[in-house]
Amino acid sequence: MVTIQETKKYQAYYTKSTPIVDYMVNKLELKESDRILEPCGGDGVFVDSILALNESANIDVYELNDLAFQILLNKFSPFGNVTIRNCDTLLDNDLIFNSGFGGAYDKIIANPPYGAWQDFEKRSVLKKLYNDLYAKETYSLFLYRCIELLRDGGILSFIIPDTFLNLHMHKGIRRNILTKTRILELVLFPSSFFPGVNFGYANLSIITLQKDDRPQVCLTNEFPVFTKFSDVSQLANIENQNVHKFSFVQSEVLANSDHAFFIAEDSTISDTLSKAPTKLGDIASCVTGFYSGDDKTFLQVRSLELKNGKNYTLVNPESICDNITEHTNILDGIDGLRHFIPIVKGGNTRYLKPESWFMNWSKEAVSHYKNDKKARFQNPKFYFKFGIGVPMISSSSITASLIENKLFDQSIVGVFPSDPNMMQYLLGFLNSPTCNKLIRTINPSANNPANYIKKIPFIHPDEKSLKRVTDLVGEIINSIKLNKNYDEEVEREIHTMFQTIYGF
Ligand SMILES: C[S@@+](CC[C@H](N)C(=O)[O-])C[C@H]1O[C@@H](n2cnc3c(N)ncnc32)[C@H](O)[C@@H]1O
């Protein structure tokens, strides 16, 4: 048995799902003569399944963990056609050699480790070997290595998190896939379909692709994507299941910014993302905010009843700065007793947040922030400006609220339109379901870092729409200021307007 510690270290989560294994093996279109690679053997589920179809299949199995290697060795000792190697697939010299000479395998099947821990020495070697890739996330390194190891026409099937489709750090592997292979099929399903573990990843994918040494042919390839599975058994006979099917052409994905796959339920959303001439980043600065380096010491709270409030000191109202604009050199800090300033933090409140948190902004404190290693005195030219704050993590859908000349912390992306007349319009848009569909297609996780927010397509409104949205958002803000709530009818009208402007 592999121990729990080793399971974590080697990311040894075995594919104990017959529908998944059957689907992947089936996708390989195995032939008698195939030379097959299983680059991360585990306890050999894929090997078992291949041997059940053809006992004399020629398979090389790699496994780094000594214990798992021994188990594999015993299990497959009766099969002279199965070679087991106790090696690191990412660093093995034979594999590196074969990668450089047009590959050596006809078929490869894998469930690679997703975030396996690498010691620093290994990480720096990996960085050199795979310099275009993100070395911390091992699955993309396995995918890259295995694409190199395929012969021209060879097929590979991998089960991996779906994050390689969108995240910036996986741009390199996307370019590789799109220009060196033809994607045969991509399926996306919840990680709960994978028995026994919770990866902390929202979704898993199985990508099946065929190596093709002709880049132009790769680029014209159209491939199907299947989503909206309700049960893992639907992987069998997929075309006849009640699941969603989309088609994409590789050249179009390559042309998307950062070669991201924009897989949305509605093709109007993918089209808007691919073709938008203007993005939010073109009309507004989108920047991350401030961190003191030690909030327990420097941050204070208006009420201990607030979420997490008990962990902080209660602010003395006499120490709150009542007029920030009177301090001309505010970025150097404030002299005197009234040196606590309001700061906008995360939390999914729409349109306007109450003033709840205050940062020590004395001259000494500010000097500390500028010099402390842990502090982030980043993008200061946007501090105390009028803008919009979007929390980096959204619970269900993206939210936005005004930053009214306040400081904003690093859990917020500050959006500062270059044309101030766009402020209310943008605030309405960033709170709309239309915007949420766009950001979740750009990045399906619940995260909204600045680099993704910048990519949201922006459609310039005509004057009438601009005025109407501006008035309605103004109405909402005034109502929150007066009554702490707003009329949802008004909000619905704004949502409908964006639905009309964007078409979804
Ligand atoms: C996610 S498990 C999958 C095992 C098996 N293929 C399956 O699907 O059940 C990944 C396996 O890869 C092995 N492994 C981790 N890093 C490796 C490396 N660098 N080279 C070879 N094997 C590795 C782990 O020990 C583990 O057994």
Side-chain angles (χ1 to χ4, degrees):
M1 271 290 283
V2 176
T3 63
I4 292 175
Q5 285 90 335
E6 282 183 312
T7 300
K8 280 209 164 138
K9 179 172 170 196
Y10 294 103
Q11 292 286 298
Y13 301 109
Y14 298 161
T15 317
K16 298 295 172 201
S17 160
T18 308
I20 293 178
V21 173
D22 286 353
Y23 168 81
M24 290 174 69
V25 171
N26 192 25
K27 283 279 128 200
L28 293 181
E29 298 172 22
L30 289 169
K31 294 199 195 75
E32 287 269 326
S33 57
D34 280 340
R35 191 165 172 216
I36 304 163
L37 172 68
E38 155 51 296
C40 0
D43 68 354
V45 274
F46 292 132
V47 182
D48 286 333
S49 173
I50 294 169
L51 290 174
L53 294 172
N54 172 14
E55 328 187 287
S56 55
N58 180 352
I59 314 175
D60 288 349
V61 185
Y62 279 67
E63 174 53 59
L64 183 59
N65 179 1
D66 298 342
L67 201 63
F69 165 73
Q70 281 305 331
I71 294 171
L72 286 168
L73 210 53
N74 292 338
K75 184 170 171 187
F76 297 111
S77 59
F79 295 89
N81 44 310
V82 178
T83 311
I84 318 281
R85 300 195 59 198
N86 189 196
C87 291
D88 189 323
T89 303
L90 298 176
L91 300 174
D92 180 65
N93 280 332
D94 285 357
L95 293 182
I96 293 174
F97 179 84
N98 283 328
S99 298
F101 285 89
Y105 293 97
D106 303 296
K107 304 290 155 68
I108 304 180
I109 186 162
N111 170 12
Y114 299 162
W117 189 82
Q118 319 283 353
D119 60 40
F120 290 107
E121 206 181 316
K122 183 168 165 189
R123 217 180 278 174
S124 77
V125 178
L126 288 173
K127 265 195 186 146
K128 283 199 190 101
L129 263 176
Y130 302 91
N131 66 6
D132 199 15
L133 304 179
Y134 180 67
K136 272 199 214 157
E137 184 52 284
T138 41
Y139 79 77
S140 67
L141 308 187
F142 277 84
L143 185 52
Y144 175 85
R145 169 56 72 230
C146 289
I147 291 174
E148 299 283 293
L149 281 167
L150 278 179
R151 291 182 176 137
D152 189 27
I155 297 178
L156 157 162
S157 192
F158 262 52
I159 178 166
I160 46 181
D162 68 355
T163 45
F164 77 95
L165 298 170
N166 302 82
L167 296 193
H168 287 290
M169 61 186 167
H170 294 308
K171 182 178 174 183
I173 191 70
R174 287 196 287 275
R175 191 183 326 102
N176 244 274
I177 294 172
L178 294 165
T179 56
K180 293 186 179 166
T181 79
R182 281 181 289 117
I183 300 173
L184 300 180
E185 192 163 288
L186 179 62
V187 297
L188 308 174
F189 52 85
S191 65
S192 57
F193 283 12
F194 195 99
V197 283
N198 179 358
F199 297 118
Y201 286 100
N203 285 301
L204 282 174
S205 68
I206 299 175
I207 182 162
T208 305
L209 46 84
Q210 184 157 32
K211 178 91 167 273
D212 197 318
D213 290 343
R214 301 160 299 171
Q216 277 320 313
V217 176
C218 297
L219 289 178
T220 51
N221 181 52
E222 185 170 339
F223 61 95
V225 180
F226 292 92
T227 68
K228 300 276 173 211
F229 290 80
S230 48
D231 190 84
V232 69
S233 62
Q234 291 177 311
L235 284 171
N237 204 1
I238 216 167
E239 288 281 355
N240 298 327
Q241 304 286 356
N242 184 18
V243 295
H244 287 205
K245 182 181 178 183
F246 307 99
S247 289
F248 294 90
V249 176
Q250 286 181 207
S251 59
E252 288 170 4
V253 179
L254 191 76
N256 287 345
S257 74
D258 295 314
H259 321 313
F261 289 66
F262 296 134
I263 299 166
E265 271 185 50
D266 178 342
S267 61
T268 332
I269 302 175
S270 327
D271 284 354
T272 305
L273 283 162
S274 301
K275 298 181 186 137
T278 310
K279 310 262 167 70
L280 210 56
D282 301 324
I283 61 133
S285 302
C286 305
V287 295
T288 314
F290 167 88
Y291 175 50
S292 69
D294 177 8
D295 278 353
K296 286 260 151 55
T297 304
F298 294 104
L299 183 66
Q300 299 196 352
V301 65
R302 162 112 49 210
S303 158
L304 301 184
E305 304 305 314
L306 280 165
K307 196 170 168 216
N308 294 330
K310 284 187 202 58
N311 302 327
Y312 294 86
T313 309
L314 202 59
V315 70
N316 171 3
E318 303 289 304
S319 70
I320 298 173
C321 171
D322 44 10
N323 188 359
I324 285 173
T325 48
E326 78 185 10
H327 298 278
T328 40
N329 295 324
I330 186 85
L331 291 179
D332 292 332
I334 300 174
D335 273 329
L337 177 68
R338 289 191 172 275
H339 60 260
F340 274 81
I341 51 153
I343 178 166
V344 181
K345 284 168 58 62
N348 291 292
T349 308
R350 294 180 189 276
Y351 305 105
L352 197 68
K353 281 195 170 121
E355 259 179 23
S356 307
W357 297 93
F358 299 85
M359 189 59 71
N360 185 339
W361 209 251
S362 66
K363 290 217 149 131
E364 299 72 38
V366 171
S367 155
H368 169 88
Y369 307 144
K370 288 180 180 170
N371 295 303
D372 182 58
K373 273 207 184 119
K374 280 193 356 214
R376 295 273 174 275
F377 199 82
Q378 55 196 353
N379 302 308
K381 72 173 180 174
F382 295 100
Y383 298 173
F384 314 109
K385 295 279 185 291
F386 206 92
I388 298 166
V390 177
M392 200 92 82
I393 299 177
S394 32
S395 51
S396 51
S397 45
I398 189 170
T399 62
S401 60
L402 282 181
I403 299 173
E404 297 172 292
N405 304 96
K406 290 176 191 159
L407 189 62
F408 56 104
D409 92 346
Q410 64 169 5
S411 65
I412 295 272
V413 176
V415 178
F416 299 90
S418 34
D419 176 359
N421 293 325
M422 284 291 157
M423 196 71 72
Q424 271 82 357
Y425 181 83
L426 265 187
L427 184 59
F429 173 59
L430 286 165
N431 278 307
S432 70
T434 300
C435 178
N436 194 55
K437 285 179 191 159
L438 289 165
I439 187 83
R440 288 289 78 90
T441 309
I442 295 170
N443 178 7
S445 79
N447 291 343
N448 319 306
N451 279 340
Y452 296 99
I453 290 184
K454 278 182 197 163
K455 282 191 186 171
I456 299 175
F458 180 76
I459 297 180
H460 279 281
D462 58 35
E463 261 184 49
K464 203 170 146 220
S465 311
L466 174 64
K467 181 165 185 324
R468 184 70 187 148
V469 175
T470 303
D471 289 348
L472 293 172
V473 171
E475 209 177 297
I476 288 181
I477 290 169
N478 286 338
S479 170
I480 297 174
K481 281 186 177 159
L482 286 171
N483 316 315
K484 295 201 167 74
N485 61 24
Y486 57 88
D487 182 352
E488 288 183 8
E489 258 323 295
V490 177
E491 189 179 47
R492 262 195 290 280
E493 184 180 340
I494 302 172
H495 292 174
T496 311
M497 288 188 73
F498 284 111
Q499 206 177 343
T500 312
I501 293 170
Y502 280 78
F504 48 86

